[in-house]
Amino acid sequence: MGSLAAEAVGIMDPENPTKLETEAVHLSDGGSARNHLPNRVFVNRSLNLENIKCYGFDMDYTLAIYKSPEYEALGFELLRDRLVSIGYPHELLRYDYDPEFPTRGLVYDTMYGNLLKVDSHGNILVCTHGFSHLKGDDIHNYYPNLFIQRDDTERFYILNTLFNLSETYLYACLVDFFTSCTRYKNCTQGFQHGDLFMSFRSMFQDVRDAMDYVHDSGSLKDRTIKALEMYVVKDPRIPVLLSRVKEVAKVFLATNSDYSYTDAIMKYLLEVPASVKSGAPKRAWRSFFDLVVVDTRKPLFFGEGTVLRQVDTLTGKLRMGTYTGDLQHGTIYSGGSSDVVCDLLDVRGKEILYVGDHIFTDILKSKKRQGWRTFLVAPDLIKELQVWTDKRYLFEELKGLDVYLAEFYKHLDSGSHERPDISAIQTRMKMVTYLDQYVL
């Protein structure tokens, strides 16, 4: 299925960590052999596709898979350069993106400047300050209970998208630089330089502002369009997939990207040169969809939405007024809401299978507010499953040690006074558990 070979695993609902919130998850590598891991299908909930009347797709990191680490390196470069342009030290320019450090889902502590890897309950698994991995007492000094309140969004920021990878690495670079620079005095919540205090929170806000600038100014999109082959995976199976799906159901595209960028990316991915033998003309990318909506502003799109307007495809500008008519095939729409999509396509809730990459924006919101079936694209899970496979012997040893530990307590009850000596087992568990502790 091209870039949409499904791999299904559960996505935790933050409000109910025991509940699975998606039918399927895709692990994309841009096109490997049929029997390789990214092309195998796993399911966590049975879904009769005969009941699906409509398939919806996001674009970025869904139909358009960006090459890693090239794309993240580009994003990092633009962010870093933006900070330097607004007054940050030029020494930051010596930092280059390292794809081995960041991973999606880390949490940035805006009070102490730490990057945290936590489980679904908020228990801290890994803690770094800059590029220094903290241990034992160092972590306890910051977090006495080895626990954080994940719902404290004023303090903790979850870096949960693939676009956040470059941002994640930049936080580590900033902390590393200011910590090691002799011009700055290290403080608990930032750095002091004469009368200037640089807090981790203000640093966080500067990076977020830089991120908004890179996206809003169009600099990232411009660089991407100028070198599509360098940054975007061109999978020839995508047009085949969309053609087959459109034969049996309605298909729509709903993306936060603007029309100009969407047009450039879709032409690159879908407008394959016509075959010399067939003599057929090149197929326009819009013909693969029954409905195309840009500028959706998800997650707002799945709630009250915005004004639905038509796009003038010759100029890229929006036409005046709110569009209230029937669906016009070949027309590009801007804004709107998920309710509008349902009305235009004459489909409802569970008749739609929506494919996206953002756990919160694409998956949870579409399911909880609209009842849509969901399909999550998660290329980063390939590495997780590879680690599970490569380190399986360690997991098996931990399982065996756990069983062995249980045997010590098997015949003890509240009346037992002897404490079994489990120190050797605990030591071995720690050795096995933290063998690769320096990998986030």
Side-chain angles (χ1 to χ4, degrees):
M1 295 178 66
S3 292
L4 294 170
E7 194 97 49
V9 299
I11 300 303
M12 293 298 182
D13 181 344
E15 300 175 5
N16 185 357
T18 64
K19 186 177 180 181
L20 297 179
E21 283 295 320
T22 188
E23 281 75 33
V25 176
H26 158 239
L27 307 180
S28 167
D29 72 340
S32 58
R34 180 179 297 275
N35 293 325
H36 286 185
L37 182 64
N39 288 290
R40 292 163 56 195
V41 176
F42 299 81
V43 296
N44 58 34
R45 181 181 300 170
S46 296
L47 177 62
N48 186 351
L49 292 181
E50 290 184 355
N51 296 329
I52 300 300
K53 298 181 179 180
C54 182
Y55 291 80
F57 295 88
D58 184 23
M59 185 179 75
D60 298 308
Y61 283 110
T62 301
L63 290 177
I65 300 297
Y66 296 103
K67 295 183 180 180
S68 181
E70 293 85 355
Y71 194 67
E72 291 81 23
L74 172 62
F76 174 80
E77 174 191 329
L78 294 173
L79 284 173
R80 179 201 63 196
D81 293 354
R82 174 61 180 172
L83 288 185
V84 172
S85 72
I86 64 173
Y88 274 72
H90 280 74
E91 291 97 320
L92 287 174
L93 296 176
R94 64 182 172 87
Y95 286 94
D96 293 315
Y97 183 74
D98 180 4
E100 295 301 316
F101 182 84
T103 187
R104 178 159 63 160
L106 298 184
V107 177
Y108 182 71
D109 183 352
T110 62
M111 180 180 291
Y112 296 129
N114 297 325
L115 282 170
L116 307 170
K117 186 174 184 179
V118 302
D119 64 17
S120 59
H121 303 290
N123 298 305
I124 297 173
L125 306 176
V126 180
C127 175
T128 69
H129 191 73
F131 297 117
S132 299
H133 286 72
L134 306 184
K135 302 179 183 178
D137 291 340
D138 292 330
I139 300 179
H140 277 283
N141 290 336
Y142 288 112
Y143 317 98
N145 296 321
L146 298 181
F147 171 84
I148 66 168
Q149 292 283 352
R150 293 185 61 188
D151 57 356
D152 183 3
T153 55
E154 286 296 314
R155 175 177 173 183
F156 299 106
Y157 183 75
I158 303 176
L159 299 145
N160 57 9
T161 76
L162 293 172
F163 281 116
N164 289 138
L165 289 176
S166 54
E167 179 183 357
T168 301
Y169 190 67
L170 184 55
Y171 289 128
C173 292
L174 290 171
V175 174
D176 177 72
F177 169 75
F178 287 112
T179 299
S180 59
C181 184
T182 56
R183 301 196 304 270
Y184 296 86
K185 177 184 177 182
N186 285 267
C187 303
T188 304
Q189 297 186 21
F191 306 96
Q192 189 78 40
H193 178 55
D195 295 331
L196 172 68
F197 179 69
M198 172 75 73
S199 69
F200 293 117
R201 174 167 287 280
S202 65
M203 198 182 314
F204 164 77
Q205 190 58 59
D206 286 341
V207 174
R208 291 304 306 155
D209 290 344
M211 192 74 167
D212 290 340
Y213 174 82
V214 165
H215 284 279
D216 295 343
S217 68
S219 56
L220 178 61
K221 294 175 181 177
D222 291 342
R223 290 280 296 273
T224 303
I225 291 175
K226 290 178 180 178
L228 287 171
E229 292 185 358
M230 180 182 295
Y231 298 119
V232 183
V233 175
K234 186 167 186 175
D235 191 334
R237 296 172 296 177
I238 293 180
V240 176
L241 166 69
L242 292 176
S243 296
R244 291 175 177 175
V245 172
K246 199 167 185 292
E247 290 176 359
V248 297
K250 297 175 182 178
V251 183
F252 71 89
L253 177 69
T255 174
N256 281 357
S257 294
D258 59 36
Y259 169 70
S260 297
Y261 185 70
T262 301
D263 184 55
I265 295 294
M266 288 292 99
K267 280 182 177 178
Y268 176 70
L269 293 178
L270 300 179
E271 294 192 358
V272 181
S275 170
V276 177
K277 293 182 179 180
S278 67
K282 183 167 61 175
R283 182 178 177 182
W285 71 266
R286 282 178 279 175
S287 68
F288 288 90
F289 304 97
D290 294 286
L291 171 67
V292 176
V293 187
V294 299
D295 304 313
T296 55
R297 295 182 61 188
K298 292 175 286 186
L300 188 64
F301 179 77
F302 293 110
E304 62 270 29
T306 58
V307 173
L308 181 70
R309 301 171 68 179
Q310 290 182 313
V311 178
D312 185 335
T313 55
L314 296 178
T315 64
K317 295 182 179 181
L318 302 181
R319 292 177 178 170
M320 296 295 293
T322 302
Y323 183 74
T324 59
D326 295 330
L327 175 65
Q328 296 182 7
H329 291 281
T331 297
I332 306 295
Y333 298 91
S334 171
S337 68
S338 52
D339 288 331
V340 171
V341 168
C342 290
D343 290 340
L344 289 174
L345 294 174
D346 192 25
V347 290
R348 290 293 177 269
K350 294 182 180 180
E351 296 176 338
I352 299 174
L353 177 61
Y354 186 68
V355 186
D357 69 288
H358 196 300
I359 294 173
F360 176 75
T361 300
D362 292 323
I363 304 304
L364 292 181
K365 287 298 182 182
S366 63
K367 174 172 286 292
K368 293 171 77 72
R369 292 188 177 182
Q370 298 291 342
W372 290 5
R373 298 297 190 178
T374 53
F375 188 115
L376 177 68
V377 177
D380 37 3
L381 287 183
I382 296 175
K383 184 176 181 180
E384 296 290 332
L385 292 178
Q386 287 175 338
V387 169
W388 174 264
T389 302
D390 295 342
K391 304 296 182 181
R392 187 161 188 164
Y393 68 96
L394 294 177
F395 294 112
E396 292 296 334
E397 183 175 355
L398 282 174
K399 182 178 178 181
L401 288 170
D402 196 44
V403 173
Y404 191 43
L405 183 63
E407 290 295 322
F408 276 85
Y409 293 92
K410 188 174 183 179
H411 302 293
L412 300 181
D413 57 24
S414 59
S416 302
H417 298 288
E418 295 182 4
R419 289 185 63 186
D421 183 7
I422 61 172
S423 58
I425 299 178
Q426 288 178 317
T427 299
R428 182 57 188 168
M429 281 183 164
K430 289 181 179 179
M431 289 178 63
V432 174
T433 300
Y434 295 106
L435 185 64
D436 294 323
Q437 67 173 348
Y438 298 117
V439 179
L440 278 176

